[in-house]
Amino acid sequence: MLKILVFLVVAVAADRPDRRQYDPGQQLSYYKNFTKCPIGTLTTTFGAPIEYVDATVTLNRPLIRNPYIMDELPHLVRERIPERVVHAKGAGGFGYFEVTNDITHICDAKLFSAVGKKTPIAIRFSLVTLEKAVQDTTRDIRGFAVKFYTEEGNLDLVALNIEAFVFRDPVMFAGFVRSLKRNPATNLRDFNMFWDFVTLRPETVLGIITLFSDLGIPASYRNMPGFPIHTYEVINKSNQKRFVRFHFTPDAGIKNLFTEQARNIAGQDPDYHSRDLYRAIGNGECPSWTLSVQVLTPEDVKNAGFDVFDVTRFLPHDKYPLIPVGKLVLNKNPINFFAEIEQLALCPSNLVPKILGGVDKMFESRIFSYRDAQFYRLGVNFNKISVNTPFQTEVFTYTRDGRAPVKDNGRDAPVYYPNSFNGPVPYRAKKRQEITQIYEGPSNNFDQVREVFDNQMSEEERTRLIENIVGTLRLVLRVLQERAVKMFKSIHSELGERIELALFGNRTTTCKN
């Protein structure tokens, strides 16, 4: 029964006969047309009916004996949960993943087991570094997180819209995030902090170049790609190891906004991307993405000539071509945003048999940090919240109690392992595959930045990249400007010289130390 109820929460939006999501601005009108009359008698949270006077007026009446206001006011001041430190503002929807190509020779996880097989999914798109109140079209890295509700449990692929991450050592994570937040004294965004961090850790430069390029502001979430950034270790049907990088490519094409376009949209609609996604799904346009993989054998890893597990590098597509796997389709809007999107909890540690995860240190740190973040925001039972429940499989654990929801709390089954009383037991793998251990040396991203600048950008794209970089560098101290110019010159002489000319060609526009 539980599995049926949870599935209905995910699927019910598609069953509305009036297609109530045509226009997000008219959602309430659609709801009224669908329901025709009040849906029921107003009650307290305990289920007792509320009398008209109690819900209408409190003047000259005892407040403490009014069950309506005693429900409403205490709840109001407790309605907010902690905002995500990263990925705070987002939008999402529900749909399915369908296998279109047989890849069991690459990965034999059950969700890939047969062409035509469908798996329910949830996707959350987000801005990464800024607060929930920010405009959707702000220049920022974006998140692209997919939860697959498989028969073997939930698989979460947590991706970004840039193909290479900004650093590979997790010790840098807290500092990088804080450099993009608000100055603790002024409570304002301070690009001195950002450029100070970037120029002190130049391995960030490939991700930063992507951010300031034309790829930095998607035209819509429907036109945004996703890259889980890690090289995942997987097992094929012959029990052999393979290594893959996943790619989500929008079927509507990758499209982006220029800086001025984004500014104009932000002034008119700060929730532009969220509104566009909701409207598209509600209109039945069903945004879709092709899931593909780049594949390496253990021999390929040894002979690559560079560290294929380095998350600050992309794998060259000419050497490791994309192999199609299937389609992700969104066809259902959330019925309630807070319940289904704000509480959607994604963790890279959510893996399934035959997908072992990334072998790098960043992935290891994310196994801890994402789960810890969900414990803090949603409580230790966050996987019992309906949208996070792995409803295609039965869950048997020894975890009990804690903050709600606890559902049936394991009923009357034994509460410890091992036991002699028929509690759940672990399965025995026929041949256990351990995660590959690797050595991670120093980063070297400059060669890929040069490749991107020289061979993947047109002259117009180079010009816009420099304008976008200079737009923020103009706001920082002279010492940081000079350090940035030096860094960019060491990466690519033309890039550094053009930034230097744009910054210092008119000395009156530069900041003084």
Side-chain angles (χ1 to χ4, degrees):
M1 184 63 178
L2 174 62
K3 290 190 289 182
I4 295 173
L5 289 174
V6 173
F7 182 77
L8 285 175
V9 169
V10 175
V12 70
D15 300 328
R16 299 281 187 174
D18 65 339
R19 302 181 66 78
R20 67 189 181 107
Q21 294 103 342
Y22 277 135
D23 180 353
Q26 298 300 317
Q27 183 270 327
L28 291 175
S29 295
Y30 296 141
Y31 182 83
K32 181 178 181 180
N33 291 336
F34 175 73
T35 54
K36 302 300 181 185
C37 61
I39 59 175
T41 299
L42 179 65
T43 71
T44 67
T45 54
F46 302 102
I50 298 290
E51 203 275 328
Y52 174 81
V53 172
D54 287 335
T56 308
V57 61
T58 63
L59 300 179
N60 305 311
R61 302 176 65 84
L63 292 181
I64 202 73
R65 292 187 176 276
N66 184 320
Y68 179 72
I69 202 168
M70 286 299 102
D71 254 4
E72 288 285 296
L73 290 184
H75 193 281
L76 178 65
V77 297
R78 294 167 174 82
E79 283 179 357
R80 297 295 169 263
I81 63 174
E83 182 178 293
R84 290 171 170 89
V85 175
V86 288
H87 301 278
K89 185 175 185 181
F94 301 92
Y96 62 89
F97 166 70
E98 181 175 4
V99 178
T100 58
N101 295 72
D102 181 7
I103 65 157
T104 54
H105 62 291
I106 299 169
C107 178
D108 196 32
K110 278 190 179 180
L111 80 158
F112 303 135
S113 61
V115 172
K117 182 181 179 65
K118 290 186 177 181
T119 299
I121 61 167
I123 303 181
R124 185 175 186 270
F125 308 97
S126 58
L127 289 94
V128 171
T129 60
L130 304 172
E131 303 95 337
K132 287 178 72 173
V134 74
Q135 295 94 339
D136 277 359
T137 56
T138 302
R139 186 174 297 278
D140 191 15
I141 301 169
R142 263 76 177 175
F144 186 126
V146 186
K147 185 181 291 290
F148 299 80
Y149 300 96
T150 86
E151 309 121 282
E152 300 179 297
N154 290 349
L155 168 67
D156 292 353
L157 292 182
V158 182
L160 300 172
N161 70 321
I162 60 175
E163 196 166 352
F165 198 46
V166 289
F167 53 82
R168 67 194 306 217
D169 192 330
V171 75
M172 296 172 61
F173 184 74
F176 179 72
V177 170
R178 289 174 183 147
S179 77
L180 289 162
K181 297 292 186 180
R182 295 179 180 271
N183 183 304
T186 65
N187 197 39
L188 300 172
R189 291 193 70 195
D190 190 338
F191 284 103
N192 285 295
M193 300 194 304
F194 170 74
W195 282 109
D196 183 38
F197 189 95
V198 167
T199 53
L200 289 172
R201 299 304 296 256
E203 64 265 39
T204 60
V205 73
L206 182 55
I208 299 307
I209 287 289
T210 307
L211 174 62
F212 283 103
S213 75
D214 286 352
L215 301 174
I217 309 176
S220 75
Y221 287 134
R222 297 180 291 129
N223 299 112
M224 188 177 83
F227 307 97
I229 72 174
H230 301 279
T231 301
Y232 281 67
E233 185 169 358
V234 299
I235 307 299
N236 68 12
K237 62 184 178 183
S238 301
N239 213 41
Q240 299 168 320
K241 290 187 175 185
R242 294 292 182 264
F243 300 92
V244 302
R245 282 209 183 183
F246 295 100
H247 294 250
F248 302 106
T249 306
D251 294 324
I254 297 174
K255 299 176 185 177
N256 300 283
L257 298 173
F258 297 151
T259 301
E260 195 59 35
Q261 291 175 308
R263 287 177 183 152
N264 291 337
I265 291 171
Q268 299 173 35
D269 186 358
D271 302 312
Y272 177 77
H273 286 156
S274 301
R275 193 182 314 277
D276 174 85
L277 180 69
Y278 194 97
R279 180 184 288 119
I281 296 173
N283 284 337
E285 295 174 17
C286 298
S288 65
W289 291 259
T290 296
L291 174 62
S292 305
V293 289
Q294 291 177 287
V295 184
L296 301 92
T297 66
E299 291 72 27
D300 292 332
V301 171
K302 294 175 184 176
N303 299 324
F306 64 96
D307 184 358
V308 301
F309 303 111
D310 186 345
V311 296
T312 64
R313 299 180 65 91
F314 56 82
L315 298 184
H317 289 217
D318 56 348
K319 190 173 183 181
Y320 310 103
L322 293 179
I323 298 174
V325 179
K327 295 281 186 185
L328 281 80
V329 179
L330 289 182
N331 59 7
K332 309 176 186 73
N333 272 319
I335 292 295
N336 183 279
F337 182 88
F338 181 87
E340 298 171 90
I341 303 300
E342 186 63 25
Q343 292 193 121
L344 182 60
L346 294 117
C347 301
S349 57
N350 285 351
L351 300 167
V352 294
K354 304 297 181 71
I355 300 179
L356 307 186
V359 305
D360 56 278
K361 191 59 66 176
M362 268 298 298
F363 191 88
E364 184 180 349
S365 75
R366 295 175 89 193
I367 288 176
F368 164 76
S369 62
Y370 276 66
R371 186 191 299 264
D372 186 56
Q374 309 304 353
F375 284 161
Y376 170 66
R377 292 186 65 248
L378 302 173
V380 72
N381 290 309
F382 71 87
N383 276 326
K384 294 179 182 177
I385 296 170
S386 293
V387 73
N388 298 318
T389 301
F391 59 82
Q392 288 227 95
T393 184
E394 296 218 49
V395 175
F396 298 101
T397 78
Y398 287 99
T399 60
R400 297 288 192 276
D401 306 341
R403 197 168 85 194
V406 297
K407 299 295 174 75
D408 64 12
N409 204 35
R411 297 176 61 86
D412 55 352
V415 75
Y416 60 93
Y417 176 82
N419 65 77
S420 306
F421 305 102
N422 294 331
V425 295
Y427 80 100
R428 294 180 182 272
K430 293 180 180 178
K431 183 177 180 182
R432 180 177 172 84
Q433 291 277 11
E434 299 291 347
I435 196 80
T436 297
Q437 300 297 311
I438 64 170
Y439 169 78
E440 298 181 76
S443 294
N444 175 21
N445 308 75
F446 293 0
D447 60 327
Q448 290 198 329
V449 176
R450 295 186 196 104
E451 165 64 22
V452 169
F453 190 79
D454 280 335
N455 300 319
Q456 297 184 25
M457 286 186 172
S458 67
E459 178 55 32
E460 292 78 10
E461 288 171 329
R462 293 190 197 105
T463 298
R464 287 191 292 269
L465 168 68
I466 291 162
E467 289 173 349
N468 293 334
I469 290 173
V470 171
T472 60
L473 273 177
R474 287 190 189 280
L475 306 176
V476 308
L477 296 171
R478 177 62 175 265
V479 65
L480 297 179
Q481 294 174 336
E482 292 174 345
R483 194 196 297 168
V485 167
K486 182 178 179 181
M487 178 186 74
F488 285 119
K489 280 185 175 180
S490 67
I491 295 166
H492 194 291
S493 59
E494 180 188 345
L495 176 61
E497 288 166 4
R498 290 177 66 176
I499 290 173
E500 181 179 41
L501 179 62
L503 276 174
F504 304 135
N506 180 358
R507 297 278 178 167
T508 61
T509 63
T510 59
C511 298
K512 297 299 181 182
N513 198 354

